Amino acid sequence: MLETNNQILDDEIERLLETSSIAPLLKSILRASLYTMPHANKLAVLESLRKESKKLLILKAKQEKIIEKYRGIMGKLSKNGQS
Amino acid sequence: MSDPDPKQDSPEKAPAASGTAPESGAETKEKKSRISRAAHEAWEKSFGEGTWTENINPLNWPKKSWLFFKNFFTELTEVEEEEKDVKKEAEKKVAREVLKTDSGQLSEQFVEAATKESSESLLPEEKEAMEIMTEDLLEAAKATGEPESVVVVADRIKQNAEQNNQSPERVTDSEMRLCFVTGLFTLIRLKERFDDDEGKLADFLDRVKSAGAKSVKIKDLSLYVRNHFTKLLNFKLTDIPDLLGMDKTDFLTSLNPLPSASEKMDKGLDIVLPEIFPSTVRDKGLAPTRKIFKDIVERKNNITTRDIAKIIAMLDDDDLRELAKRIGGNKVKTVTLASVKETEERKQKAKAEAEKKAAEKKQADEKKDEAGKKPAPAEAKPDQKAKAA
């Protein structure tokens, strides 16, 4: 049971690591440490990565919004420049 | 974040917005060209490659319209800064859990090096040396059944070095430092492995022999590791007493087991130093060789042999103690403690100097305050004016 849980945790951590912004070397170290990492520590890592992922999604949306907002304005401005 | 208002950025308001002294023609030209380049890059970064046209160039817009562009970048930069904070926070938390797990085998320094970024680049020769060094580390790690983490990290460094030839990404100082620390841990673990299993020592010696070593006189592996450790730091065992201001005989008798101090001094100590191996083994050894490490360090930082000992001081006290504990030998322990002592003395000296300066500053401030409170200087002002006149 614990093994199954651990496997689920590992998979989830691995999935989050794909999109995580943490340094590649730290990712490598984390991946290598996973198999010896106690359950509680894995949970803590998972929580941190989830938080990071959530915040990154919010920031990504914020960025999209800014780009969208300025895209229209810039379009108008470039037309003005052309005329 | 508020929507930009075109009226707010009208040409009439622009000079007040800049608020700087008038620029020369060349300066303005240079500034415009910089803005144009930055705008081009930023536009394609945001809206995709090939979408930039000269019509978009803010320099072709009515005079002040490019302020919109500035607003755009400012807002984007704010988001990027927030992203950096999120990244930092996640790294800190993940590193904490990794450190807890690895029971001290990975130091904070190690993880710090893995996350730190540096723009400083290495010379092509250094990159080459780095690749060889990493190659050696990998070999050593794999051959001795190293924990996967070391192999993965060394592999990653190697990949980075390889990518270096094709992309502007560079091997950073932090990676070099990481490689150094990895080297230390590899050597420490090498010793542990052999300590645990004498069969592995025999295998190892066989491999060394089959690699072409003329003779292997190693009877005690800890000596091998100590020698190799000192090779990594680019000094001979015979240098150490001198380095520490110790009596050579005392130092040599602290090494165990060796036949006699005089014999050791004559020939025994350099048992694994380069002359015993043919050049192929010397240059492509199982761990970073003296030559390679020397190349890397000296070209990089112009460090002398003695200064290398100070590299050890880069590790924190706990790491040094751990290192001493793992290496085990009296000598290395002394080196370690001496480094700790040196670091502490330096810290204390710096602290005392800072306190002294603070006290002096305080005294000077008090004097100033006292002088400020006295009415006399106000009265003396006309005299001073007269003197000045």
Side-chain angles (χ1 to χ4, degrees), chain B residues 274-307:
Chain B
E275 54 268 25
I276 200 168
F277 294 121
S279 60
T280 46
V281 181
R282 205 158 60 223
D283 295 337
K284 279 260 180 192
L286 284 166
T289 64
R290 168 189 287 191
K291 181 185 170 294
I292 293 162
F293 193 72
K294 197 176 168 193
D295 278 355
I296 294 169
V297 175
E298 287 194 346
R299 280 184 205 162
K300 180 75 196 158
N301 293 324
N302 237 349
I303 295 179
T304 62
T305 304
R306 253 157 214 258
D307 291 334

Short mmCIF file of all heavy atoms in Angstrom, two decimals, chain B residues 274-307:
data_model
loop_
_atom_site.label_atom_id
_atom_site.label_comp_id
_atom_site.label_asym_id
_atom_site.label_seq_id
_atom_site.Cartn_x
_atom_site.Cartn_y
_atom_site.Cartn_z
N PRO B 274 51.92 10.85 -9.94
CA PRO B 274 51.98 10.52 -11.38
C PRO B 274 53.11 9.61 -11.85
O PRO B 274 52.90 8.80 -12.71
CB PRO B 274 52.10 11.89 -12.02
CG PRO B 274 51.38 12.78 -11.10
CD PRO B 274 51.64 12.25 -9.72
N GLU B 275 54.30 9.74 -11.28
CA GLU B 275 55.43 9.02 -11.87
C GLU B 275 55.22 7.49 -11.90
O GLU B 275 55.81 6.80 -12.73
CB GLU B 275 56.75 9.36 -11.17
CG GLU B 275 56.75 9.17 -9.67
CD GLU B 275 56.36 10.43 -8.93
OE1 GLU B 275 55.67 11.26 -9.53
OE2 GLU B 275 56.73 10.55 -7.76
N ILE B 276 54.39 6.99 -11.03
CA ILE B 276 54.21 5.54 -11.00
C ILE B 276 53.33 5.04 -12.15
O ILE B 276 53.39 3.90 -12.56
CB ILE B 276 53.65 5.10 -9.64
CG1 ILE B 276 53.93 3.60 -9.43
CG2 ILE B 276 52.18 5.37 -9.49
CD1 ILE B 276 53.67 3.17 -8.02
N PHE B 277 52.53 5.92 -12.69
CA PHE B 277 51.62 5.52 -13.77
C PHE B 277 52.11 6.02 -15.12
O PHE B 277 52.67 7.10 -15.22
CB PHE B 277 50.23 6.12 -13.54
CG PHE B 277 49.55 5.58 -12.33
CD1 PHE B 277 49.15 6.44 -11.33
CD2 PHE B 277 49.31 4.23 -12.18
CE1 PHE B 277 48.51 5.96 -10.19
CE2 PHE B 277 48.68 3.75 -11.06
CZ PHE B 277 48.28 4.61 -10.06
N PRO B 278 51.86 5.25 -16.16
CA PRO B 278 52.15 5.77 -17.50
C PRO B 278 51.19 6.92 -17.81
O PRO B 278 50.15 7.07 -17.14
CB PRO B 278 51.90 4.59 -18.42
CG PRO B 278 51.03 3.66 -17.66
CD PRO B 278 51.30 3.89 -16.21
N SER B 279 51.52 7.69 -18.82
CA SER B 279 50.77 8.92 -19.06
C SER B 279 49.28 8.67 -19.30
O SER B 279 48.44 9.49 -18.94
CB SER B 279 51.36 9.67 -20.24
OG SER B 279 51.29 8.84 -21.37
N THR B 280 48.93 7.53 -19.92
CA THR B 280 47.51 7.30 -20.21
C THR B 280 46.69 7.27 -18.92
O THR B 280 45.60 7.82 -18.86
CB THR B 280 47.30 5.96 -20.94
OG1 THR B 280 48.07 4.98 -20.27
CG2 THR B 280 47.67 6.06 -22.38
N VAL B 281 47.25 6.63 -17.92
CA VAL B 281 46.53 6.56 -16.64
C VAL B 281 46.58 7.91 -15.95
O VAL B 281 45.63 8.37 -15.33
CB VAL B 281 47.14 5.47 -15.72
CG1 VAL B 281 46.38 5.39 -14.41
CG2 VAL B 281 47.12 4.13 -16.43
N ARG B 282 47.75 8.54 -16.10
CA ARG B 282 47.94 9.82 -15.41
C ARG B 282 46.92 10.86 -15.92
O ARG B 282 46.33 11.57 -15.16
CB ARG B 282 49.36 10.30 -15.70
CG ARG B 282 49.91 11.21 -14.66
CD ARG B 282 51.42 11.22 -14.69
NE ARG B 282 51.95 11.65 -15.97
CZ ARG B 282 52.96 11.06 -16.56
NH1 ARG B 282 53.51 9.98 -16.04
NH2 ARG B 282 53.42 11.51 -17.70
N ASP B 283 46.75 10.89 -17.24
CA ASP B 283 45.90 11.93 -17.80
C ASP B 283 44.43 11.56 -17.85
O ASP B 283 43.58 12.39 -18.05
CB ASP B 283 46.38 12.30 -19.21
CG ASP B 283 47.75 12.92 -19.15
OD1 ASP B 283 48.10 13.45 -18.08
OD2 ASP B 283 48.46 12.85 -20.14
N LYS B 284 44.14 10.29 -17.73
CA LYS B 284 42.73 9.88 -17.75
C LYS B 284 42.48 8.98 -16.54
O LYS B 284 41.99 7.88 -16.68
CB LYS B 284 42.42 9.12 -19.05
CG LYS B 284 42.16 10.04 -20.22
CD LYS B 284 40.68 10.17 -20.44
CE LYS B 284 40.39 11.10 -21.62
NZ LYS B 284 38.99 11.45 -21.66
N GLY B 285 42.87 9.47 -15.41
CA GLY B 285 42.78 8.65 -14.20
C GLY B 285 41.35 8.44 -13.75
O GLY B 285 40.41 8.89 -14.38
N LEU B 286 41.23 7.74 -12.63
CA LEU B 286 39.89 7.44 -12.14
C LEU B 286 39.27 8.63 -11.42
O LEU B 286 38.07 8.70 -11.25
CB LEU B 286 39.95 6.24 -11.19
CG LEU B 286 40.10 4.91 -11.92
CD1 LEU B 286 40.50 3.83 -10.95
CD2 LEU B 286 38.81 4.53 -12.61
N ALA B 287 40.07 9.53 -11.00
CA ALA B 287 39.55 10.73 -10.34
C ALA B 287 40.30 11.92 -10.94
O ALA B 287 41.26 11.73 -11.68
CB ALA B 287 39.78 10.64 -8.85
N PRO B 288 39.84 13.14 -10.65
CA PRO B 288 40.53 14.30 -11.24
C PRO B 288 42.02 14.26 -10.93
O PRO B 288 42.39 14.12 -9.79
CB PRO B 288 39.88 15.48 -10.54
CG PRO B 288 38.61 14.97 -10.05
CD PRO B 288 38.78 13.52 -9.76
N THR B 289 42.84 14.31 -11.94
CA THR B 289 44.28 14.23 -11.68
C THR B 289 44.81 15.60 -11.30
O THR B 289 44.16 16.62 -11.52
CB THR B 289 45.04 13.77 -12.93
OG1 THR B 289 44.86 14.77 -13.90
CG2 THR B 289 44.53 12.45 -13.44
N ARG B 290 46.01 15.56 -10.78
CA ARG B 290 46.64 16.82 -10.38
C ARG B 290 46.72 17.78 -11.56
O ARG B 290 46.37 18.95 -11.46
CB ARG B 290 48.06 16.53 -9.89
CG ARG B 290 48.89 17.78 -9.73
CD ARG B 290 50.31 17.43 -9.46
NE ARG B 290 50.44 16.92 -8.09
CZ ARG B 290 51.61 16.73 -7.52
NH1 ARG B 290 52.70 16.95 -8.17
NH2 ARG B 290 51.68 16.30 -6.30
N LYS B 291 47.11 17.24 -12.70
CA LYS B 291 47.32 18.10 -13.87
C LYS B 291 46.01 18.81 -14.27
O LYS B 291 45.99 20.01 -14.46
CB LYS B 291 47.82 17.26 -15.03
CG LYS B 291 48.09 18.03 -16.30
CD LYS B 291 48.47 17.10 -17.41
CE LYS B 291 48.49 17.82 -18.74
NZ LYS B 291 47.17 18.29 -19.15
N ILE B 292 44.97 18.00 -14.35
CA ILE B 292 43.69 18.56 -14.80
C ILE B 292 43.20 19.61 -13.82
O ILE B 292 42.81 20.71 -14.18
CB ILE B 292 42.65 17.44 -14.95
CG1 ILE B 292 43.06 16.52 -16.10
CG2 ILE B 292 41.26 18.01 -15.20
CD1 ILE B 292 42.38 15.18 -16.09
N PHE B 293 43.25 19.25 -12.55
CA PHE B 293 42.74 20.18 -11.55
C PHE B 293 43.57 21.47 -11.54
O PHE B 293 43.04 22.56 -11.44
CB PHE B 293 42.74 19.53 -10.18
CG PHE B 293 41.94 20.31 -9.18
CD1 PHE B 293 40.56 20.31 -9.29
CD2 PHE B 293 42.53 21.08 -8.21
CE1 PHE B 293 39.80 21.06 -8.41
CE2 PHE B 293 41.80 21.81 -7.33
CZ PHE B 293 40.41 21.80 -7.43
N LYS B 294 44.87 21.27 -11.69
CA LYS B 294 45.76 22.43 -11.71
C LYS B 294 45.40 23.34 -12.89
O LYS B 294 45.31 24.55 -12.75
CB LYS B 294 47.20 21.94 -11.82
CG LYS B 294 48.23 22.98 -11.44
CD LYS B 294 49.59 22.36 -11.49
CE LYS B 294 50.63 23.47 -11.40
NZ LYS B 294 51.95 23.01 -11.73
N ASP B 295 45.22 22.70 -14.04
CA ASP B 295 44.85 23.46 -15.23
C ASP B 295 43.60 24.30 -14.98
O ASP B 295 43.56 25.49 -15.26
CB ASP B 295 44.53 22.52 -16.41
CG ASP B 295 45.79 22.06 -17.09
OD1 ASP B 295 46.85 22.57 -16.70
OD2 ASP B 295 45.71 21.23 -17.99
N ILE B 296 42.61 23.63 -14.45
CA ILE B 296 41.33 24.31 -14.26
C ILE B 296 41.49 25.47 -13.28
O ILE B 296 41.16 26.61 -13.58
CB ILE B 296 40.27 23.35 -13.70
CG1 ILE B 296 39.94 22.29 -14.74
CG2 ILE B 296 39.01 24.10 -13.30
CD1 ILE B 296 39.11 21.16 -14.20
N VAL B 297 42.03 25.15 -12.13
CA VAL B 297 42.08 26.16 -11.07
C VAL B 297 43.01 27.31 -11.41
O VAL B 297 42.66 28.47 -11.27
CB VAL B 297 42.47 25.51 -9.72
CG1 VAL B 297 42.62 26.57 -8.66
CG2 VAL B 297 41.40 24.52 -9.31
N GLU B 298 44.19 26.97 -11.91
CA GLU B 298 45.15 28.04 -12.14
C GLU B 298 44.73 28.97 -13.27
O GLU B 298 44.89 30.17 -13.19
CB GLU B 298 46.54 27.46 -12.39
CG GLU B 298 47.11 26.92 -11.09
CD GLU B 298 48.60 26.65 -11.18
OE1 GLU B 298 49.14 26.63 -12.29
OE2 GLU B 298 49.19 26.46 -10.13
N ARG B 299 44.19 28.38 -14.31
CA ARG B 299 43.76 29.24 -15.42
C ARG B 299 42.59 30.10 -15.02
O ARG B 299 42.43 31.21 -15.46
CB ARG B 299 43.37 28.39 -16.64
CG ARG B 299 44.58 27.95 -17.38
CD ARG B 299 44.17 27.22 -18.60
NE ARG B 299 45.23 26.31 -19.01
CZ ARG B 299 45.03 25.31 -19.82
NH1 ARG B 299 43.85 25.06 -20.27
NH2 ARG B 299 46.03 24.55 -20.17
N LYS B 300 41.77 29.51 -14.19
CA LYS B 300 40.55 30.20 -13.81
C LYS B 300 40.82 31.37 -12.86
O LYS B 300 40.40 32.48 -13.08
CB LYS B 300 39.60 29.19 -13.16
CG LYS B 300 38.29 29.77 -12.71
CD LYS B 300 37.42 29.99 -13.92
CE LYS B 300 36.28 30.90 -13.55
NZ LYS B 300 35.75 31.55 -14.70
N ASN B 301 41.50 31.07 -11.82
CA ASN B 301 41.61 32.07 -10.77
C ASN B 301 43.04 32.50 -10.44
O ASN B 301 43.26 33.25 -9.51
CB ASN B 301 40.98 31.54 -9.47
CG ASN B 301 39.49 31.37 -9.61
OD1 ASN B 301 38.85 32.17 -10.27
ND2 ASN B 301 38.96 30.34 -9.02
N ASN B 302 43.98 31.97 -11.19
CA ASN B 302 45.36 32.29 -10.88
C ASN B 302 45.74 31.88 -9.47
O ASN B 302 46.45 32.59 -8.78
CB ASN B 302 45.57 33.79 -11.03
CG ASN B 302 46.65 34.07 -12.02
OD1 ASN B 302 47.37 33.14 -12.42
ND2 ASN B 302 46.80 35.32 -12.42
N ILE B 303 45.25 30.75 -9.06
CA ILE B 303 45.47 30.33 -7.68
C ILE B 303 46.78 29.57 -7.58
O ILE B 303 47.10 28.74 -8.43
CB ILE B 303 44.30 29.43 -7.21
CG1 ILE B 303 43.03 30.26 -7.16
CG2 ILE B 303 44.57 28.84 -5.84
CD1 ILE B 303 41.83 29.47 -6.75
N THR B 304 47.53 29.82 -6.54
CA THR B 304 48.77 29.09 -6.33
C THR B 304 48.44 27.82 -5.54
O THR B 304 47.35 27.66 -5.03
CB THR B 304 49.76 29.92 -5.52
OG1 THR B 304 49.15 30.16 -4.25
CG2 THR B 304 50.06 31.24 -6.18
N THR B 305 49.44 26.97 -5.47
CA THR B 305 49.26 25.70 -4.76
C THR B 305 48.70 25.91 -3.36
O THR B 305 47.77 25.25 -2.94
CB THR B 305 50.61 24.98 -4.69
OG1 THR B 305 51.10 24.85 -6.00
CG2 THR B 305 50.46 23.60 -4.07
N ARG B 306 49.30 26.84 -2.67
CA ARG B 306 48.88 27.07 -1.30
C ARG B 306 47.45 27.59 -1.19
O ARG B 306 46.72 27.24 -0.28
CB ARG B 306 49.81 28.10 -0.65
CG ARG B 306 50.73 27.50 0.34
CD ARG B 306 51.93 28.41 0.50
NE ARG B 306 53.12 27.63 0.74
CZ ARG B 306 53.65 27.48 1.92
NH1 ARG B 306 53.11 28.05 2.96
NH2 ARG B 306 54.72 26.76 2.08
N ASP B 307 47.11 28.42 -2.13
CA ASP B 307 45.76 29.01 -2.08
C ASP B 307 44.67 27.96 -2.19
O ASP B 307 43.55 28.16 -1.76
CB ASP B 307 45.57 30.04 -3.21
CG ASP B 307 46.41 31.27 -2.99
OD1 ASP B 307 46.71 31.55 -1.81
OD2 ASP B 307 46.78 31.93 -3.96
#
